Every structure is written in C-alpha cells, then in structure tokens.
Amino acid sequence: SKQRSMSSASSNANARLGEQIWQKMPKMNAEFFTLTYGSLVVQLVKDLEDVQKVNEQLEKMGHSIGMRLVDEFLAKSGVTNCSDFAETADVIAKVAFKMFLGVAVDVTSWNAEKTACSLLLYDNPLADYVELPVNVDLYYSNILCGVIRGALEMVQLRVEAYFVRDTLRGDDVNEIRLELKERIKDEMAEEYRRE
Amino acid sequence: MRDADRHVSRSAFAYLFSEMVQYHTSRIRSAGELELKLHEVGQRVGAKTLELVTIREKLMKRESGVIEMLQFVSSTCWKSLFGKVADSLERSTDCGNEYMIHEFEPITNCFVSIPTDLGHLNCAAYIAGILAGMLDCAHFPAVVSAHAMPAPDSEPHCYA
C-alpha cells in the first residue's frame, strides 16, 4: 500500500518547481537521445558480451554522470538541504527526473524506517522503440540507477538503486528501488572544523 | 507510435554523449580511431532513424535519385533528429559526386570539451556516421566524413 511520507503540499510544490525548470531547460528531440542510448547499449553488449557486465557498465556510466549532473541540478533547482530522506526522494522524483527527462515519477512503498522507497517511472524516454529478447537478464535503463547513486553520493548520501520492475522485461511499470545505506561523513569538513 | 515531438533536456543528451565519448576513449589509441568509433555508433542510429522516419511519414516509395535522397535526409530526417533542417545542402563544384551538408551548431560539438591529447577530434563524426547509416540503409552507399569549417560549423561530406 502507498504511504505518503511527505505532505501533499510539499510534494505539489516540488512538482511545480520541476515543471518550471523543465520549461526553461533547452530541449532536443527525444528520438535522437533515445537512439543514441540504444546505440550505446548495443555497443556495450558487443564489447562486453556478458549481460551482467553490461548492467554494471551502464550503472558505472550513470554514476559518473550523476556526479556531474548534481551540480546543474542544485544550481537550477535552488534546492539546498533536504530535511529527511523522504524529501530527497520526492525531489529526485518530482524535480530531477522532470527537468532532465521531462517525465513524472512517483514515490511509493516506503519501509517503516523511512530509509527505502520505490520510484515509479510510467514513462521512460530511454526505452522507446526498444524490444528485448525474452529471458535476457539485461536492465536496459540501468544507467538511471547509477545517475541516482552518483548524484546522491555528492550530497553525502550512500544509496543503492536498482530496478525491481522493468516494462522492457514484461512488467507494467518501471520501478527503481532506492535504499539509503548511510550518511557519508565529510572527513574534509571535519578537518577544517578542527583547525 | 511514440510522438515525434517528445523532448528531453539537452543536458541529458550532453551527459550521455560525453560519457559515450569517454567510454570509447578508454578503448582506443588515437583521435582517428575515436572518430571511427563514433562514426560506427552513428551508423546504427542512422539506420534506425531512417526506419522510424519512413514509418512515421508513411512513405511508400523509395527515393530514387541521389539529390532527392540527400534532400530527404537533410530536411525530414534532420528535423526528426535535431528539430531543424540542415543549414544547407550543396554540391561540390570540382567533384561531381561530392556533396556537402552544412550544420552550424552540431549538437555533438556544443557540449563536449576535447582533452588536449585528442586535439583533432571532431565529435560531429557521430553525425557523419548517422548520415552514412541512413544513406547506406537506403542503398546509397556513401563515404561520409565531418569537417570543421572556420566559422563554428561542421559539414559532413558525402561522396555518393
């Protein structure tokens, strides 16, 4: 069952912010983006052969992207400190996904400790026109999990993000499970404080 | 069929393309090889683009002439990919089967800063590859390369 961990008002504010920034972002035809990504996946499958290695490589590339993308996100959204992980998740879903990919994402299925939730993507521009052969263990859009992990790492949160449902694998929706593992202590900051 | 007018942010493409260039960079030895790789990747995109545009436009007949094909590619296909038609299509005066498509601000070159050890890299090799893929798929095999011009633009040359 869905648990709302944020007030509707806050979440709506985030959705409005996401929409505002999306309107201002320079845009391009999704098709070119989609085909470029598709071509990359094909290349990785050719180069790496093993599907698990492709999944890992996509995640790794996403991680690298996330570490850079977070700067643009923070600069354009003006989001500063999220008071809790629920707010972080909502901001990712309503602001980040919206401004970069133009899609609406829902946050659901919180655990009792409020440290894990699911991001539901009904619409995934990466996967347009794609059909996967049956019984292939590829997480085609795994780059997204890496982006989330890389971006959050830059704001001192260590998370795990992984697909649990994927429309390309026959599910009705795309679901990324997002788990907070720990708040990373900023050792450099501690050093400065001591001096 | 997915709406042709769907958009994503340019940033999303920039990060993806940049990461793609990085990935290939780690696997090659020279800027020339990297351009070949981008060209190769582009060809797949080109073939798929032609397929999609053909279905979407419900085209029944195949373009038979070189000029018609190049016009189709530099307008309809270009619009589908880049949201605009190519800046110009010209035929070379000295070489009969050579054509130039001009693109002043190729999207591939807007965001990628070239590390100094890859000084001669032209990321528009990707677009050249896309063009080659489209032409090849339509049975107009061509040698397509990207050349940077003094003004910031890039022109894939086609030798049809």
Side-chain angles (χ1 to χ4, degrees):
Chain A
S1 67
K2 290 186 190 186
Q3 280 176 278
R4 276 306 189 99
S5 292
M6 282 198 68
S7 74
S8 298
S10 280
S11 191
N12 288 342
N14 282 335
R16 269 197 306 276
L17 177 63
E19 179 63 41
Q20 265 167 32
I21 308 174
W22 166 246
Q23 291 302 329
K24 289 191 272 185
M25 294 289 277
K27 310 223 188 16
M28 64 176 305
N29 283 20
E31 197 159 286
F32 187 41
F33 174 72
T34 302
L35 292 178
T36 296
Y37 185 71
S39 211
L40 171 68
V41 177
V42 168
Q43 187 70 47
L44 292 182
V45 170
K46 261 177 68 177
D47 290 344
L48 304 174
E49 287 171 22
D50 180 77
V51 158
Q52 284 317 319
K53 294 213 177 93
V54 176
N55 289 334
E56 281 163 21
Q57 181 66 32
L58 285 173
E59 208 276 350
K60 197 168 135 203
M61 291 173 82
H63 182 257
S64 167
I65 290 174
M67 293 201 292
R68 293 179 290 136
L69 165 154
V70 74
D71 284 341
E72 184 178 353
F73 170 75
L74 292 172
K76 291 189 174 163
S77 68
V79 167
T80 48
N81 286 317
C82 288
S83 52
D84 58 17
F85 191 59
E87 205 185 321
T88 304
D90 197 69
V91 157
I92 293 171
K94 301 286 186 263
V95 186
F97 267 98
K98 184 68 186 177
M99 68 187 264
F100 289 110
L101 295 179
V103 295
V105 171
D106 279 343
V107 185
T108 64
S109 311
W110 283 97
N111 64 351
E113 298 84 9
K114 302 288 164 62
T115 56
C117 63
S118 288
L119 301 173
L120 297 186
L121 274 82
Y122 307 100
D123 203 7
N124 178 8
L126 292 176
D128 286 343
Y129 318 120
V130 176
E131 268 174 38
L132 287 188
V134 200
N135 294 331
V136 164
D137 234 351
L138 176 68
Y139 284 105
Y140 185 84
S141 308
N142 220 28
I143 204 167
L144 295 176
C145 298
V147 174
I148 295 169
R149 183 172 69 91
L152 290 180
E153 196 174 294
M154 296 303 278
V155 295
Q156 318 303 111
L157 297 175
R158 189 169 70 81
V159 300
E160 266 175 39
Y162 53 93
F163 273 93
V164 291
R165 280 189 287 172
D166 187 341
T167 53
L168 289 182
R169 289 160 72 119
D171 298 311
D172 53 343
V173 76
N174 300 298
E175 179 184 349
I176 295 177
R177 192 74 190 152
L178 179 60
E179 293 172 358
L180 174 64
K181 294 298 171 191
E182 65 169 340
R183 293 177 189 279
I184 305 167
K185 260 202 288 238
D186 190 347
E187 306 215 335
M188 285 296 285
E190 304 241 336
E191 292 278 317
Y192 284 127
R193 259 181 252 133
R194 253 177 263 150
E195 278 169 11
Chain B
M1 167 122 246
R2 176 59 62 194
D3 178 13
D5 285 332
R6 190 200 207 348
H7 293 96
V8 294
S9 68
R10 283 202 167 204
S11 298
F13 174 78
Y15 293 119
L16 174 63
F17 188 71
S18 178
E19 204 55 40
M20 210 169 85
V21 172
Q22 288 268 72
Y23 170 77
H24 289 295
T25 304
S26 65
R27 298 171 82 92
I28 50 80
R29 264 177 290 263
S30 69
E33 258 186 80
L34 183 55
E35 283 189 18
L36 280 174
K37 268 291 162 187
L38 289 180
H39 197 277
E40 190 186 313
V41 177
Q43 280 183 288
R44 274 196 293 271
V45 173
K48 201 72 207 252
T49 302
L50 189 65
E51 211 180 294
L52 287 171
V53 171
T54 307
I55 294 172
R56 190 180 300 125
E57 306 281 316
K58 300 184 181 51
L59 296 172
M60 292 300 152
K61 81 174 180 72
R62 199 167 78 71
E63 300 294 346
S64 47
V66 168
I67 272 284
E68 288 80 6
M69 186 63 206
L70 288 174
Q71 278 169 345
F72 175 68
V73 155
S74 61
S75 58
T76 310
C77 296
W78 221 255
K79 190 130 216 291
S80 176
L81 289 172
F82 310 117
K84 59 182 279 291
V85 301
D87 293 312
S88 75
L89 165 65
E90 288 166 17
R91 185 177 193 160
S92 162
T93 43
D94 20 86
C95 189
N97 60 356
E98 184 180 308
Y99 300 83
M100 286 91 77
I101 293 179
H102 285 95
E103 183 59 40
F104 295 131
E105 285 178 353
I107 198 166
T108 47
N109 295 28
C110 291
F111 308 104
V112 188
S113 52
I114 310 299
T116 41
D117 54 345
L118 291 175
H120 299 292
L121 174 68
N122 187 351
C123 291
Y126 184 54
I127 299 182
I130 294 174
L131 196 47
M134 287 195 278
L135 293 172
D136 195 56
C137 198
H139 306 290
F140 285 94
V143 174
V144 187
S145 57
H147 302 265
M149 303 302 284
D153 83 347
S154 145
E155 50 171 50
H157 281 247
C158 307
Y159 301 82

